[in-house]
Each structure stands twice: as C-alpha cells, then as structure tokens.
Amino acid sequence: MSILLTGGTGTTAMRLARLLQAANKRVILASRKGAVPEPFSGVKFDWHDPATFPNPFAVDPTIESVYLVSPPGDPNVLGPMKPFIDLAVQMGVKRFVLLSVSTIEAGGPAMGKVHEYLISLGVEYFVIRPSWFFGIFQSLMLTSAYSSWAENFLTMHIQNIKDKHTIITSSQDGKIGFISADDIADLAFDALTRAESYNTDKILVGPELLSYNDVAKTFSEVLGITITHTRVSTDELQKMYIGRGVSEDRAALVCHLETLNAKGVEEQIFVHAKKVAGRRTLKSFVEANKDAWKA
C-alpha cells in the first residue's frame, strides 16, 4: 500500500518522504512539474488542473493515505481540493493528513473548510495545525495565502538580517512557539503510519515561547553580531511587503496574523489543550543554517 504526498517537493513533504522511505514505506510525490529528487517516484499534479487528479492513481492504484498541502495563492482552498478528495475516496483512500495552521479551526477559513469537509466524509483523518516555522527567517517569496508556513511569513527577514541586522515586525511583545519543519514531518509520519487514525486535530508548537526580542537575541548569539527587533505599525509593515512585490491580499493577511501575535493569540495557543510540542529549538536551527544570514 502506498502513501501520496501532495506538495511533494515542498518543505514538509520532502522531510516526510525521507522518513517514509527510511521506514520502507512506498511513497509517491505529487508536484506541478512531476519531477522529484532521486530515489523518489513523482507524478504531475496541479490543484488548479483537475485533469491531473487521476495521475497518482494511474501510477499506483494502491494508494491508501494522502498528505494534503493546500494550493498556493488561493484562500478558497476547498474549491480545488474537494474534487480531488472525493476522487481519492472513490479510489480507495482511507486516511488523509491535512497541513493547516495553528489559528484555524474546523469550519474556519481556508484549510478550516477542508478540515470540516474531511470530518463530514467520515474518513480517517488528522489535521496538523503548526505555529510559525523557523524557515520564515530564510524564505524569499510569499507563495501561499495560508499554507507552507516555512515559505511564507516574514519573507523579508533574511534580507533585513543580512543587510540591516534587524528583524522588522508589528508583533510588538507577542510571543510565538516557533516550530521546525522537521517536527511537522515527524508528526505527519506518525499520523500516516500508525495503526489507528487519530481522527482529530493537534496544534503543533515548538519547545519555546519566544518574542521577537528573544529571537533577535538568539540570532545575535549565534551569528556573533548584534541583531535587533524593529517594531513598526501594521500599516508600515504592509507597505514594506507590497514594496517588495508581495500582493496586497497576502501582505494584508501576514499583517493580520502579526496583529494576532501582538494580541497574544499565539501565546494562548501555546497552552491550548490540543497542543503538541516539538523538540527542536530555534538556536539549533540558526546554528545549522547560519551561513544563510551572512552578508
């Protein structure tokens, strides 16, 4: 029996694929181009092209589980995802693991609608709701309105850290349980391979609750230079993103989430009853990737 990973060449799916391969699980990576790294099997799959939806099952009709990563750039993710989920059920898929975000519950916007739909189908499911990825300090492009957090948020941090030795946010003193993409992959692996399905959702946070002042201190210690946290208004932050080529809708979304941070929403999530804590620290991430922030 096989496991299909959508977003197959993305941040979490590639880590997950390696874990599955190491466990001798048959895994297929679905991506828009269909080209995947060796030794994995890939298939062309595009959320916005329903003609590609049967492709995974043509390659391997024994697919029983699917890792769902929502399509980039479209807040209305249920629209393109529902037809594929329906087809997958028809083709014998028993279990779905959905990558969502910490602040969205079942029935909420974007992945919240997909979460709700999976429950309504009565299939085996698990929804991972991670906090903000460590990778926000490396990424260069905002690729999705809600998903792929390792690629999306605070896009300009890498350049600001390298050129100006600062991190610019409107999160004020709000604290966040930053999470590693490796911890997300670990939880997804467990959810996809365990005998009994969880049939619930879990909020995944890192082992530490950090403000951006704390983050700046960690970067300073590891990089050996002084990194500061520059506080700006939401309007100023939004203008900065738009000035760097981010669409108005996506810039507005990021700023909205920063406003939630400033209000302590992520701090509340850190102690939520559905919380699961990862084990990798921000410091270990910065140490492992410190060359990325060198000027």
Side-chain angles (χ1 to χ4, degrees), residues 22-93:
N24 295 316
K25 302 293 184 182
R26 164 77 172 160
V27 59
I28 301 170
L29 305 183
S31 66
R32 282 180 290 180
K33 293 183 179 180
V36 300
E38 294 288 346
F40 298 105
S41 298
V43 62
K44 186 175 182 180
F45 180 91
D46 187 337
W47 283 117
H48 297 292
D49 183 4
T52 67
F53 290 178
N55 290 353
F57 305 102
V59 170
D60 190 335
T62 70
I63 297 170
E64 281 203 338
S65 302
V66 178
Y67 179 61
L68 294 170
V69 177
S70 63
D74 184 2
N76 180 27
V77 295
L78 181 62
M81 293 181 76
K82 181 179 180 295
F84 172 72
I85 292 171
D86 291 342
L87 174 63
V89 172
Q90 292 174 20
M91 297 301 294
V93 170

Side-chain angles (χ1 to χ4, degrees), residues 66-207:
V66 178
Y67 179 61
L68 294 170
V69 177
S70 63
D74 184 2
N76 180 27
V77 295
L78 181 62
M81 293 181 76
K82 181 179 180 295
F84 172 72
I85 292 171
D86 291 342
L87 174 63
V89 172
Q90 292 174 20
M91 297 301 294
V93 170
K94 302 291 192 299
R95 182 176 300 182
F96 296 88
V97 174
L98 172 68
L99 180 64
S100 186
V101 295
S102 59
T103 53
I104 298 180
E105 298 184 358
M111 286 86 72
K113 298 298 183 186
V114 182
H115 182 169
E116 181 180 54
Y117 187 61
L118 291 175
I119 294 173
S120 75
L121 290 176
V123 295
E124 296 181 356
Y125 79 95
F126 183 60
V127 179
I128 302 174
R129 295 167 55 192
S131 187
W132 294 38
F133 286 27
F134 293 157
I136 62 174
F137 300 106
Q138 285 184 305
S139 62
L140 294 173
M141 287 298 295
L142 279 174
T143 57
S144 170
Y146 288 95
S147 63
S148 301
W149 288 53
E151 305 292 338
N152 292 355
F153 292 97
L154 309 181
T155 301
M156 306 308 169
H157 278 357
I158 187 168
Q159 221 48 53
N160 286 332
I161 292 171
K162 290 173 68 173
D163 297 343
K164 300 180 180 179
H165 296 175
T166 194
I167 300 167
I168 301 174
T169 84
S170 60
S171 286
Q172 306 304 322
D173 293 320
K175 294 185 177 182
I176 299 170
F178 293 101
I179 187 67
S180 166
D182 291 301
D183 285 326
I184 296 170
D186 287 345
L187 184 56
F189 173 84
D190 176 52
L192 286 165
T193 60
R194 70 194 320 267
E196 294 186 12
S197 177
Y198 282 116
N199 293 339
T200 188
D201 58 299
K202 291 291 183 181
I203 295 172
L204 183 59
V205 299

